[in-house]
Amino acid sequence: MAKKRDDKDRKRQGEKAVSRRDFVKTGATAGVGAAVLSTSGTALAQVSPVEAIKWHYEADIVVIGGGCTGLPAAIRARDLGASVIVVDQNFDLGGKMLHSGGWVSLGGGDPLQQRDIKGEGDREGFVTAPRQHSVEELTEDPDFLFRDHTDWSVMDTAAQAPYRYNERDLHRAYADNCYATREFLMANYVRFTRIQGTHGNGGMSRARRATTFLMEGPATDIKKGTITKQDAGIAGKSSSHFAPRLMTDGAKIASPGARINGAALSRGLEFSAREKGIRFLLNRHMDEIIREQQFSGRVVGIRASYSPRFDPQTGARLESLWQNGNVDDRTETIFIRARKAIVIGAGGHGANPQFRSMFYPAWREPAFVSSGWALLGPRGQDASGIIAGMRIGANLAGMQQNLAYDSTFHFPGALATRDSYTDMLPGHPTFPFRGSTGILLGSDSFQHLIVVNQVGKRFFNELFVTRRQGGAAFPAGPEKGQPKRGLQHVQLDWRNASVENIRATYTEPNSIHAALAMNEGSKAPDYLSGPVWAIFDRAAVERDKWNIDAPFTSPTNGFFFSADTIEELAAKIHKGHEFQRVPLTSLVETVRKWNAYVDKGSDPEFGRGSDAPMYRIEKPPFYAASLYPVWHDSYGGLRINGRTQVIDMQGEAIPGLYAGGESSGGGQQHGLGRALVHGYIAGTNAAGEPTT
Amino acid sequence: METSAPPAAVTPHTTSVVVWDVPSATVAGERFRIKVGIKCSNECDLANTDFGIYDEEGAQVATGTLPDERWPGTTGLYVAEIELDAPAGEGLYTWSIKGHAEGFTSFGVRVVNAPECLITVEAVDRITQTPISGARVVMHPYKAVTDERGVAEVRVAKGAYKLFVSQTRYLTFALPVDVTTDMTARAELDVEPVLERN
């Protein structure tokens, strides 16, 4: 029987939360007599007084996190002559960027837009595909991009305003640095495809987005721009250590033989960083940022603890793909001094139930994880960068913006896996943590099943459970909430936000909220909603041609069950799933009722039958597959200015402290672009800090 | 101090009954076949055990017998196929099955009058205009599947329906139709868009 997550686990989750008692206790235990200061109603003590610290390492710049903020920041600072140490809690570099699609929206007349406008290929001659957009759709300047990103008038299909709350100073700097960032990336082994569209919340008016690629070749060679078929991944069979997710065909937007996704971006930057002499302390979680005084003075370094991960089957420590530049220090706690600056690129808060429930109490449910949970490990996306900033007086920004983008949290539609956003196949060292790739279904395939909550009751029309539109972005149009499409879109036009337009374009199904709602199994004090299950039968598998075999499902990871009868199925879920805290007492009756609705041809409870045919759940064996929502993006975090300096409660920059990407708030652009630009800006300015 | 013997182990026999392959529509008075599966939670040997099928009034309409062998791939499910006579009048009837240790389930029997109209449906990909074979055509309660030419024929009674044509990786095609005579319909299906994962 799987171990249940009970109140003790909930309390352990709670220990991550910021509390006065914990800090006072920690300080007293350590015997350092920590001062407890009170600011804005929060009492937090710096655990490590500067004068008592014996530094283990030092560098000009200490970068926290080796992902899409940290790597460009590190490389940029190194290019400008600084020595750089990068710490990352995981065993490998890349963070979420490594398993991303690799799409990067920049714009403002960046070098890629100009390349496509001219119809040119890349320097190496790989890109032969024709451009995807007209010259007009690619032509703009930073002022135009800035207006797009701060347009008060844009309302999306959920009647949210994605751009009006963006920090002006931050987005002015973003627009002014897109050109330099794209150029910087291309100079560091990042190869871009043609531009194709724009990311959600990347602007409504122009095409700005391209992904990254490597060419299939006899060897994986970053300098030559090639990758083996094995490293790029075999469809339906294997991923690789190089690329946790299958790199897909990029023929249409680059050339035949191009394989695309975030691995081409992440590994390119990593290769460059290692080549340039940046040092890496992996398996190293930043626990504290140390300032001269807790709420004043410069930041001077960090405290970090050893955070190795071990293969659950062999017990061996997981190791990074490449090792050159690694510092393999297994000391439990170390202190690292930053002579110039610290850059926080530690990712977001999507895997911290206490933090994310600031935005939405239902997300205190610990079962649900951040995207990339298996890849990033138990301490990935844990809000530690933000919390460390808060401890030394940092302000926050954009806290409400989590609720204004539909992939912040959503149902990606992958059954039978906890990590439902990513489709990792066996071959990457972290696959054993998830055990299954998952069965990825389009929302139309949900006509073949029903979805139930932790007590076995349906809660919504299944056809709408995973349906979402994506963010408001070019080429605009009604399906993105706008009255006009493409080049016809008018920036700052009040008609974009008119009641008539919102009425005409609103399509938010709100199904995720029904899934997260309290139910008969929810208990005080947190009233957790519990897991969600897709229930179907053998006939559904045959009808819609689902592959329910390994590695798409696992018979042992507790996310997929089969049984001869519904009664047995309910019992197996309760016994075998770690977050199934209560029996599914209603499941038998729910299936009986559903079958009766099918016989009648209509569903009086949730309206099925009007959009798609209905099918009885009747033919054994019967199946239950988890349908987990995921917290994907993190919006809301440390407030930063246009120089990416972290801002305190008085509106002043904290000397020497920078942040970006999902550790920062005040910008709501989906995708990698904002983090990469933040990293570029942070690296530039951090390198220019005085040496202490 | 009073002592007592440990309680005797009591294991209830909970029986589950499943029924499948019930036709979605059966013409009044005609015969149809269903499959009945019965399983005891204690995995009792149910070989050659009888079960009864009852109509809405509780009258027994048939008796079945479970086979010697368990259903392949299961731990204790015994499955029998049985032929039944549909009621004489159209409508949706709720019949029930009773078996071992109070095992019980109910199922719907949809009885229709003999269909008068032939609906011919052609399913194609909207962009490529190529036939979509294996697509499911549903005009509740009538069903069919398209052949290699993307064509399916459905015989239905006159009346108002919603015609659905669905296939894996396509958005379901839906069209209200009022059937008064033989008809043909062309269903152009759009590929379901795949949202990016970045």
Side-chain angles (χ1 to χ4, degrees):
Chain A
M1 180 174 171
K3 178 179 175 294
K4 299 293 178 185
R5 295 300 175 102
D6 56 14
D7 285 350
K8 287 181 181 175
D9 292 284
R10 185 179 56 76
K11 286 172 183 168
R12 279 195 288 276
Q13 291 280 354
E15 285 168 8
K16 290 181 182 174
V18 177
S19 84
R20 175 191 175 108
R21 183 193 61 200
D22 290 344
F23 289 122
V24 172
K25 183 177 160 190
T26 306
T29 304
V32 294
V36 179
L37 304 180
S38 183
T39 300
S40 303
T42 304
L44 303 170
Q46 183 163 304
V47 175
S48 306
V50 176
E51 60 273 16
I53 294 171
K54 180 183 175 185
W55 301 102
H56 295 79
Y57 299 93
E58 69 177 63
D60 292 334
I61 313 290
V62 175
V63 176
I64 304 161
C68 62
T69 297
L71 279 178
I75 296 169
R76 177 64 176 160
R78 185 77 188 111
D79 285 347
L80 295 173
S83 62
V84 181
I85 289 177
V86 176
V87 299
D88 196 294
Q89 60 83 27
N90 206 5
F91 68 98
D92 206 355
L93 290 165
K96 284 172 70 177
M97 171 170 58
L98 184 60
H99 75 179
S100 72
W103 293 92
V104 178
S105 287
L106 294 174
D110 75 47
L112 209 57
Q113 288 175 315
Q114 295 191 17
R115 188 179 85 183
D116 278 11
I117 287 170
K118 294 172 188 166
E120 295 174 347
D122 55 338
R123 181 175 50 81
E124 295 162 300
F126 291 145
V127 177
T128 57
R131 70 172 177 231
Q132 309 287 301
H133 292 282
S134 69
V135 169
E136 291 75 18
E137 290 171 331
L138 296 162
T139 300
E140 61 171 333
D141 59 23
D143 290 340
F144 188 90
L145 174 61
F146 179 49
R147 278 199 303 278
D148 238 16
H149 274 212
T150 51
D151 189 339
W152 71 270
S153 71
V154 173
M155 304 290 286
D156 67 16
T157 57
Q160 300 285 340
Y163 301 109
R164 70 173 60 152
Y165 303 110
N166 287 344
E167 290 279 355
R168 277 80 161 172
D169 182 33
L170 183 56
H171 281 267
R172 180 71 242 186
Y174 174 88
D176 290 340
N177 280 276
C178 278
Y179 186 101
T181 301
R182 186 80 83 177
E183 196 171 50
F184 164 83
L185 294 170
M186 294 162 81
N188 285 279
Y189 301 117
V190 178
R191 294 154 173 102
F192 284 107
T193 65
R194 292 293 185 202
I195 287 174
Q196 188 180 55
T198 291
H199 267 102
N201 297 0
M204 304 298 285
S205 304
R206 291 293 183 272
R208 298 167 176 140
R209 184 186 68 166
T211 186
T212 56
F213 71 93
L214 291 167
M215 299 299 296
E216 277 186 7
T220 298
D221 187 327
I222 295 293
K223 283 190 171 181
K224 291 180 178 172
T226 59
I227 187 166
T228 63
K229 286 186 178 180
Q230 193 69 34
D231 278 348
I234 310 297
K237 288 189 165 47
S238 64
S239 301
S240 70
H241 196 161
F242 186 98
R245 291 175 64 207
L246 177 74
M247 297 177 73
T248 52
D249 179 18
K252 289 183 179 174
I253 50 175
S255 60
R259 301 289 293 269
I260 57 175
N261 78 12
L265 170 64
S266 184
R267 294 300 187 194
L269 289 175
E270 178 188 347
F271 185 87
S272 183
R274 291 182 182 277
E275 189 178 53
K276 289 177 174 177
I278 292 165
R279 306 302 297 273
F280 297 96
L281 279 156
L282 303 180
N283 308 301
R284 185 61 59 182
H285 184 270
M286 181 281 298
D287 299 328
E288 181 187 8
I289 295 173
I290 299 157
R291 197 174 178 183
E292 288 174 326
Q293 291 82 41
Q294 188 178 3
F295 297 122
S296 64
R298 297 187 64 80
V299 292
V300 294
I302 68 167
R303 176 169 57 88
S305 56
Y306 184 48
S307 56
R309 298 178 67 191
F310 299 96
D311 186 299
Q313 291 160 350
T314 67
R317 194 182 81 155
L318 301 187
E319 305 294 343
S320 57
L321 177 67
W322 297 320
Q323 269 90 43
N324 55 311
N326 286 2
V327 179
D328 187 8
D329 186 332
R330 305 188 186 200
T331 308
E332 182 55 36
T333 300
I334 63 172
F335 292 86
I336 308 171
R337 181 167 176 254
R339 288 189 292 257
K340 285 176 175 287
I342 295 168
V343 179
I344 305 172
H349 49 260
N352 185 330
Q354 294 301 323
F355 197 98
R356 69 192 185 201
S357 60
M358 277 196 284
F359 307 97
Y360 196 161
W363 271 95
R364 201 164 291 127
E365 170 57 82
F368 306 143
V369 294
S370 170
S371 56
W373 161 77
L375 174 70
L376 301 178
R379 306 190 73 174
Q381 297 287 311
D382 67 352
S384 54
I386 304 169
I387 293 169
M390 293 166 67
R391 279 180 168 182
I392 57 171
N395 201 346
L396 302 174
M399 301 299 279
Q400 84 287 8
Q401 290 182 300
N402 267 326
L403 304 179
Y405 189 57
D406 72 350
S407 74
T408 301
F409 50 84
H410 66 283
F411 279 107
L415 310 181
T417 177
R418 191 175 186 190
D419 199 343
S420 57
Y421 192 83
T422 58
D423 47 5
M424 183 190 291
L425 290 156
H428 190 269
T430 61
F431 185 82
F433 292 100
R434 58 191 294 155
S436 55
T437 298
I439 311 163
L440 183 59
L441 300 182
S443 59
D444 224 51
S445 285
F446 279 65
Q447 66 187 263
H448 301 284
L449 50 77
I450 61 170
V451 177
V452 301
N453 62 20
Q454 64 178 341
V455 295
K457 283 192 172 177
R458 293 174 65 215
F459 53 83
F460 216 84
N461 181 332
E462 285 79 359
L463 292 171
F464 292 94
V465 168
T466 62
R467 194 167 290 179
R468 63 192 177 93
Q469 187 55 55
F474 175 85
E479 66 273 23
K480 297 293 183 185
Q482 293 304 290
K484 294 182 178 176
R485 188 184 308 278
L487 294 172
Q488 303 306 311
H489 171 76
V490 181
Q491 291 178 327
L492 306 169
D493 187 341
W494 68 271
R495 295 171 190 82
N496 299 335
S498 71
V499 171
E500 290 73 18
N501 182 59
I502 294 167
R503 282 190 176 134
T505 59
Y506 185 88
T507 56
E508 169 62 43
N510 285 298
S511 49
I512 181 77
H513 308 291
L516 295 169
M518 290 181 286
N519 52 59
E520 291 92 328
S522 302
K523 293 175 183 170
D526 289 330
Y527 297 99
L528 303 175
S529 57
V532 179
W533 296 100
I535 306 295
F536 50 96
D537 66 355
R538 185 67 207 173
V541 174
E542 293 166 353
R543 212 167 38 234
D544 211 34
K545 308 175 188 70
W546 300 341
N547 189 339
I548 61 169
D549 298 330
F552 301 100
T553 68
S554 164
T556 58
N557 71 351
F559 287 77
F560 183 75
F561 301 95
S562 65
D564 297 340
T565 66
I566 298 295
E567 289 87 343
E568 283 184 4
L569 192 66
K572 283 187 173 182
I573 297 169
H574 187 214
K575 185 178 179 184
H577 183 71
E578 63 179 320
F579 294 102
Q580 185 63 44
R581 307 175 186 93
V582 295
L584 291 91
T585 48
S586 297
L587 185 60
V588 171
E589 174 60 15
T590 296
V591 173
R592 187 203 65 74
K593 204 188 297 183
W594 168 253
N595 286 339
Y597 294 160
V598 176
D599 291 340
K600 289 176 182 168
S602 65
D603 165 22
E605 283 187 285
F606 299 104
R608 291 272 300 268
S610 59
D611 297 324
M614 302 160 68
Y615 301 96
R616 292 174 60 99
I617 299 172
E618 59 177 11
K619 182 179 180 181
F622 300 97
Y623 301 103
S626 67
L627 176 65
Y628 263 36
V630 67
W631 190 296
H632 179 48
D633 289 344
S634 291
Y635 301 108
L638 297 171
R639 183 183 164 198
I640 58 175
N641 62 16
R643 293 170 56 83
T644 69
Q645 293 171 292
V646 176
I647 302 301
D648 70 13
M649 295 290 183
Q650 287 73 44
E652 301 294 328
I654 296 176
L657 186 60
Y658 295 80
E662 293 193 309
S663 292
S664 68
Q668 207 191 21
Q669 182 190 357
H670 177 59
L672 304 161
R674 74 168 168 142
L676 292 164
V677 173
H678 290 171
Y680 178 80
I681 297 172
T684 304
N685 293 320
E689 287 277 347
T691 302
T692 58
Chain B
M1 184 174 171
E2 194 171 323
T3 59
S4 60
V10 176
T11 309
H13 287 227
T14 304
T15 301
S16 300
V17 182
V18 292
V19 54
W20 71 98
D21 282 356
V22 182
S24 59
T26 305
V27 175
E30 291 192 350
R31 293 181 73 76
F32 65 101
R33 302 181 72 84
I34 64 171
K35 290 191 176 70
V36 176
I38 301 181
K39 181 172 184 176
C40 172
S41 59
N42 278 11
E43 297 185 11
C44 287
D45 181 356
L46 302 183
N48 302 310
T49 303
D50 291 338
F51 60 90
I53 299 180
Y54 302 84
D55 66 14
E56 284 191 327
E57 310 302 323
Q60 186 162 345
V61 295
T63 301
T65 303
L66 295 173
D68 292 337
E69 301 295 329
R70 293 172 180 175
W71 187 251
T74 70
T75 56
L77 186 69
Y78 289 80
V79 177
E81 188 166 357
I82 188 165
E83 193 168 54
L84 302 167
D85 291 315
E90 67 172 333
L92 177 60
Y93 298 84
T94 301
W95 286 8
S96 58
I97 300 172
K98 297 175 186 173
H100 170 78
E102 300 185 349
F104 173 87
T105 196
S106 60
F107 63 102
V109 178
R110 167 74 66 178
V111 178
V112 296
N113 291 325
E116 311 104 307
C117 302
L118 176 65
I119 311 299
T120 305
V121 179
E122 182 185 13
V124 298
D125 181 299
R126 181 189 298 280
I127 301 299
T128 66
Q129 291 292 306
T130 53
I132 300 174
S133 63
R136 299 170 295 279
V137 177
V138 177
M139 297 172 71
H140 181 77
Y142 305 98
K143 296 178 180 175
V145 177
T146 59
D147 60 19
E148 67 279 0
R149 299 170 298 137
V151 175
E153 292 183 341
V154 196
R155 293 189 178 279
V156 306
K158 290 178 181 176
Y161 298 88
K162 199 155 196 181
L163 165 65
F164 292 116
V165 182
S166 59
Q167 175 59 295
T168 308
R169 290 186 292 280
Y170 284 92
L171 293 173
T172 296
F173 173 92
L175 179 71
V177 289
D178 198 3
V179 177
T180 56
T181 183
D182 292 354
M183 298 174 67
T184 62
R186 182 177 170 87
E188 297 191 343
L189 273 64
D190 292 306
V191 173
E192 184 169 23
V194 178
L195 281 177
E196 69 188 42
R197 294 180 168 224
N198 201 2

